[in-house]
Amino acid sequence: MYISRFFSFNLTFTSADLHVCIEGVECGGWEPIFCFPRKSHVDDLFPFFLRHAKQIFPVLECKDDLRKISDLRIPPNWYPEARAIQRKIIFHSGPTNSGKTYHAIQKYLSAKSGVYCGPLKLLAHEIFEKTNAAGVPCDLVTGEERVTVEPDGRQAAHVACTVEMCSVTTPYEVAVIDEIQMIKDPARGWAWTRALLGLCAEEVHLCGEAAAIDLVTELMYTTGEEVEVRNYKRLTPISVLDHALESLDNLRPGDCIVCFSKNDIYSVSRQIEIRGLESAVIYGSLPPGTKLAQAKKFNDPDDPCKILVATDAIGMGLNLSIRRIIFYSLIKPSINEKGEKELEPITTSQALQIAGRAGRFSSKYKEGEVTTMHREDLRLLKEILNRPVDPIRAAGLHPTAEQIEMFAYHLPDTTLSNLIDIFVDFSQVDGQYFVCNLDDFKFSAELIQHIPLSLRVRYVFCTAPINKKQPFVCSSLLQFARQYSRNEPLTFAWLRRYTKWPLLPPKNIKDLMDLEAVHDVLDLYLWLSYRFIDMFPDASLVRDLQKELDGIIQDGVHNITKLIKISESHKLLNLENLSAESQSRLSGTLRSQARRTRLTKTLESEAAEPPSPDAAEKSLASRLLRQGLLTADMLKQLEKEWLTRRTERGREKTEPGTYSKGTRRKKQENDSN
Ligand SMILES: Nc1ncnc2c1ncn2[C@@H]1O[C@H](COP(=O)(O)OP(=O)(O)OP(=O)(O)O)[C@@H](O)[C@H]1O
Ligand SMILES: [Mg+2]
């Protein structure tokens, strides 16, 4: 009876023969039915039901195959080259500024061949430069850049790379994996797991927090490799002050104010300027050249700029002469394991990493200090810093292109984003591992879904690292994919037109943000140029263009307080309110737990809000427009695409292989049944 009810509500997509039978059942009698014999039993419906179910849920046909393909239970077996040798694992453990990387790098420099795997482009660059300066030829490999130093273009025996880019088939004498605790990162952790299990080196040196020792030892137990732990102590003392800064009037040379939002950065630098002081500014979305220029300005003893305003982008990879770290706020927006946005106080690990920038061994300040801007925050900071760091329990994993390709072979009509969902649902992992958050991948997959591309190419486009909060970068991914599918190479001349080159120096903060977005688009071009050289043929010209743009942005940031002032006077920024907002956000840190719950609830209820008179204002499109995630042009384009799709919608509904959230739930019911 349940079946009959279920299908009577879904008659639009049941096939005709099943429809007739079900109508008969619904009529309450088994007798007056067209094609259903008088003496039939309800079980006779089953073959029809099964045929229909298989059409709607094609996974039913190949469940066992899918399970096998998505079996992620023994990752060490994915790396036969590494398993063929016996590696020695050395874990350099200790707090920040204790010489972990230094000691690992000494070993790397003295080896005949080596690979350094860093968490950031800036760190890979730093080691690349240091190694070559030490007279050891070293190449550089990042997602967007390859530099070979040997005159004949041959690969050097040493290479510095970002961890995602390391080769797991090249043999090395020594490998260094920096910041190994990032193995737990919900989105990027897979890259550290891959390097740890896959690097083909006689000695693998890991640098990082002690919290990762147990997990690494467990993982190496499965590969039969021994782990030697070397412990280090901080090289310079650091202390948490008993008083907060309270006012920017109390700033001293060597101070670094750490904010977790760009608005706070603007507001603080403006207030510093009002006090007649100069500040350097560093935040994540600045190009590397600009970050280095700002760091140099701050470090230069002859430069009057002695204050730094920065986000936690300084947490890794820059050598800065900081005496005192001042936390302007302790609340940082983050994305949790489920992909939801949260406003949480920073973790102990993050606080230690940032605080550890004060009194760096190599800088002129041999003692570090840490405090907060606001008195109410100081107790929480001390509490956070004193908490023990939880041991890391699991390492990230990521499906490979081959696995997704095999899924697509079994489910040919399923979209890439749905394939990922199905993969994650089917995948099996051991307790020491977790499947990384693939939201960014799925975001890109959905963005370019309607563009005809082969699965392999689509997969590569989706792995391109993009900032999905930047509308111009997202629309560029779309544009690049579209042109690729039309087989039209993306030339330098085309790119100049597309980015409206030449670009003018920024006149306000919005201009500056636009230029940062163009820089990201050029990064995207370069990233794709290493994967599709024929279609993105002008990498070296684009690199020159990017350097020029970095220079324009550098000049803009040099005068950032002027840009802020102009933006304020043109009401492009509302710093007074922003500032007040941050103040109130900060003032009740001790109530942070309650606020956190409230904030999470607000975010949740936003999604579930019932329609109201001002529903248009609260529509998803208007919200995305307001948040700058969507531009008017993108909205128009989406409207066009939706209209085209609407005509196909009826067909799509019955099309086999679609795997929306609703059908997924049904699939699970079927599975468990
Ligand atoms: N024995 C040493 N001789 C000379 N310089 C050293 C020595 N040990 C460390 N340093 C310098 O001290 C600074 C901090 O060292 P390092 O970067 O290795 O610390 P770390 O423990 O890796 O810190 P983090 O956790 O922040 O990465 C670096 O500039 C490094 O070059
Ligand atoms: Mg280090």
Side-chain angles (χ1 to χ4, degrees), residues 95-102 179 235 319 357 360-362:
T96 53
N97 195 19
S98 56
K100 304 181 294 288
T101 308
Y102 175 87
E179 309 291 352
L235 295 163
N319 280 311
R357 303 298 107 194
R360 204 84 186 147
F361 182 67
S362 50

Side-chain angles (χ1 to χ4, degrees), residues 614-624:
D614 56 348
E617 248 301 291
K618 287 185 179 161
S619 74
L620 179 63
S622 59
R623 262 189 294 149
L624 291 175

Side-chain angles (χ1 to χ4, degrees), residues 405-456:
E405 224 163 37
M406 290 208 278
F407 257 57
Y409 170 79
H410 287 286
L411 306 169
D413 299 311
T414 308
T415 66
L416 181 54
S417 169
N418 277 330
L419 281 176
I420 295 289
D421 277 339
I422 305 173
F423 188 96
V424 173
D425 270 7
F426 270 81
S427 61
Q428 304 169 70
V429 291
D430 279 341
Q432 299 140 327
Y433 297 97
F434 68 93
V435 180
C436 280
N437 176 342
L438 295 159
D439 284 356
D440 285 356
F441 185 99
K442 280 176 54 190
F443 174 85
S444 298
E446 277 157 26
L447 195 67
I448 61 168
Q449 183 51 44
H450 60 290
I451 297 175
L453 295 168
S454 73
L455 187 77
R456 203 31 101 101

Side-chain angles (χ1 to χ4, degrees), residues 120-122 259-262 265-266 281-291 309-316 318 332 467 470 516 519-520 523:
L120 300 171
K121 281 184 255 180
L122 267 178
C259 309
F260 294 111
S261 85
K262 262 197 203 175
I265 292 254
Y266 300 144
V281 168
I282 296 177
Y283 51 84
S285 58
L286 286 177
T290 310
K291 280 187 195 139
V309 186
T311 61
D312 52 336
I314 57 156
M316 278 187 272
L318 283 166
K332 179 181 164 145
N467 179 354
Q470 279 279 10
E516 286 166 23
H519 192 277
D520 281 358
D523 252 353

